Amino acid sequence: MPDPPKRGTALRQRLAELRGPDVPAQPLDARALAALAANPGCQRRALLDGAGVDKATLAQSLGSPASFGQSQFAFMRGNAFEAKVKADGGAELLRLVHGRLGGGPEPVPGESSVPDLSAVGPEGRAARTSLALREATSTEGWTLLDHPMLALDVAGTPAFLEPDAVVVHPDGTWTVVEIKSFPMIDGSADAAKVGAAARQAAVYALALERVAAHMDPAPRVRHHVLLVCPKDFSNLPTASAIDVRKQLSVTRRQLGRLTRIEDIAAALPEGTTFDVSRPAADLTAAVESVPATYAPECLAACELAFHCRERSREEGAVTSLGRSVRGELGGLTTVAGVLSAANGTSGDPADPAVAALRRAAALRQEALSGGASTGGRGC
């Protein structure tokens, strides 16, 4: 009798079945992980991302497409800028790292190390990266790891992450480097874009901490990451050090709250699949079989947001109004329930949320009544 498949192998087979036969898995990158950490209660996104389902194609098949991603021009511009920053063995990049973060003597062009990180498959590249980090930490020199591969366990399934660069300082500390093509004008950049870059970099820093934890002594992963952008309206690089301790703490806590992927998959009906070749009705049923937690913030981070918003509105869920509103309403989970409580037809008057709603309704009625009684007067 053949041995049963190992737990990890069985999970991979199950996730492959969910994607559909011969459908390659979409990589789970740092941007997706940052978005997932921002909404850890959404089992739908956790399962689809963990299984490597192409959510953009799935949304298209469901009839609720969402446009995400860079334009081809922006992509080419970003690649050209990154190549410029890393030219000549990363001399300019290392100069920026030293100037903003220190960590040893000034790097000398041509004397820094740029190890070859090529290997077969993401597992091989991650192992090669770990070895290169170990070797670089002991050399007491500057080392630039160009597009290293880091592994991070997410709800029981591995995610392979590829930061733009990681720098090992002569003092043995490690720094995550994010290279973006949006401009830094007069020393500052768009706050929303910087925030998104910080959340993404925090995921890389967390993965680096997992690598460092397997070394003795464990090297220190710096909580300041280096954000490199074009200076003003030129193509010259400039940089800023960003403290990501808050984002790192939030990401660590939120990823820890995720329900394990295998537990979510085990609760699905027999034969569930997200294969986009299936009829739209079957896909809709499959997607609806996985609980979702929609919030307006999903519109900027998830390809299925329009589909989930439509379902949330149909159900009258208060989460469609935003997490802050949902948090203020306590046990009231539907818009109909909120309106009923405000009108005094349901709800416990001792409930602070119900009392606040009734007070707000009374004030609104008072304001409308006052406006009606004086509306005909002239000035």
Side-chain angles (χ1 to χ4, degrees):
M1 181 176 180
D3 294 332
K6 295 182 178 179
R7 181 177 179 180
T9 303
L11 177 60
R12 284 194 294 270
Q13 290 176 348
R14 177 66 175 128
L15 297 181
E17 292 170 359
L18 291 175
R19 287 193 305 274
D22 303 321
V23 178
Q26 293 291 307
L28 185 58
D29 59 16
R31 184 173 299 175
L33 276 182
L36 187 58
N39 190 8
C42 187
Q43 296 186 26
R44 183 175 296 170
R45 171 148 198 172
L47 179 64
L48 293 175
D49 281 347
V53 175
D54 186 342
K55 297 197 300 298
T57 304
L58 179 60
Q60 184 79 34
S61 300
L62 292 172
S64 304
S67 57
F68 279 86
Q70 288 181 314
S71 67
Q72 188 65 24
F73 173 75
F75 183 76
M76 294 174 61
R77 182 182 61 188
N79 283 347
F81 178 69
E82 181 177 337
K84 179 180 179 66
V85 171
K86 294 178 178 177
D88 301 322
E92 179 64 16
L93 176 56
L94 293 175
R95 184 189 68 80
L96 290 170
V97 172
H98 176 265
R100 299 295 186 273
L101 297 172
E106 185 174 353
V108 178
E111 295 186 6
S112 302
S113 175
V114 185
D116 180 12
L117 303 178
S118 58
V120 178
E123 294 89 349
R125 290 185 58 199
R128 181 68 188 92
T129 295
S130 297
L131 178 61
L133 285 167
R134 184 183 299 273
E135 294 173 345
T137 304
S138 63
T139 61
E140 299 183 355
W142 290 96
T143 300
L144 169 64
L145 276 68
D146 186 5
H147 284 287
M149 183 66 72
L150 306 173
L152 183 65
D153 182 84
V154 180
T157 188
F160 293 97
L161 313 171
E162 189 176 0
D164 293 329
V166 170
V167 170
V168 179
H169 301 243
D171 63 4
T173 56
W174 302 351
T175 292
V176 173
V177 177
E178 273 289 280
I179 303 174
K180 300 296 185 182
S181 59
F182 55 81
M184 194 175 291
I185 301 173
D186 293 332
S188 62
D190 180 270
K193 293 179 179 179
V194 172
R199 290 189 293 273
Q200 191 172 334
V203 175
Y204 296 136
L206 180 60
L208 272 181
E209 287 183 350
R210 302 293 169 84
V211 177
H214 290 88
M215 298 173 60
D216 187 21
R220 179 168 65 90
V221 180
R222 289 173 175 255
H223 58 252
H224 279 88
V225 303
L226 193 75
L227 176 63
V228 182
C229 299
K231 182 178 181 180
D232 298 327
F233 300 100
S234 70
N235 200 36
L236 299 175
T238 188
S240 177
I242 303 176
D243 190 339
V244 297
R245 277 179 291 187
K246 178 180 178 181
Q247 292 87 348
L248 187 57
S249 176
V250 169
T251 301
R252 186 184 293 112
R253 181 175 67 252
Q254 300 291 64
L255 289 181
R257 289 176 54 198
L258 287 174
T259 304
R260 294 183 65 85
I261 301 298
E262 57 189 331
D263 296 335
I264 304 173
L268 296 178
E270 187 70 25
T272 298
T273 179
F274 305 103
D275 185 353
V276 294
S277 65
R278 301 287 296 242
D282 292 350
L283 283 177
T284 300
V287 169
E288 295 303 315
S289 69
V290 189
T293 304
Y294 170 78
E297 294 85 352
C298 297
L299 293 172
C302 183
E303 295 87 343
L304 286 178
F306 289 105
H307 174 83
C308 296
R309 180 179 65 176
E310 182 179 348
R311 291 296 185 271
S312 181
R313 287 176 173 175
E314 289 175 355
E315 297 167 0
V318 295
T319 51
S320 62
L321 304 177
R323 292 194 184 96
S324 60
V325 175
R326 173 68 186 89
E328 295 290 338
L329 293 174
L332 301 172
T333 59
T334 65
V335 173
V338 170
L339 294 176
S340 178
N343 293 330
T345 56
S346 68
D348 182 0
D351 186 333
V354 173
L357 285 168
R358 292 180 180 177
R359 176 60 177 160
L363 290 173
R364 178 179 181 274
Q365 185 60 40
E366 181 181 334
L368 291 175
S369 299
S373 63
T374 61
R377 295 179 183 177
C379 295

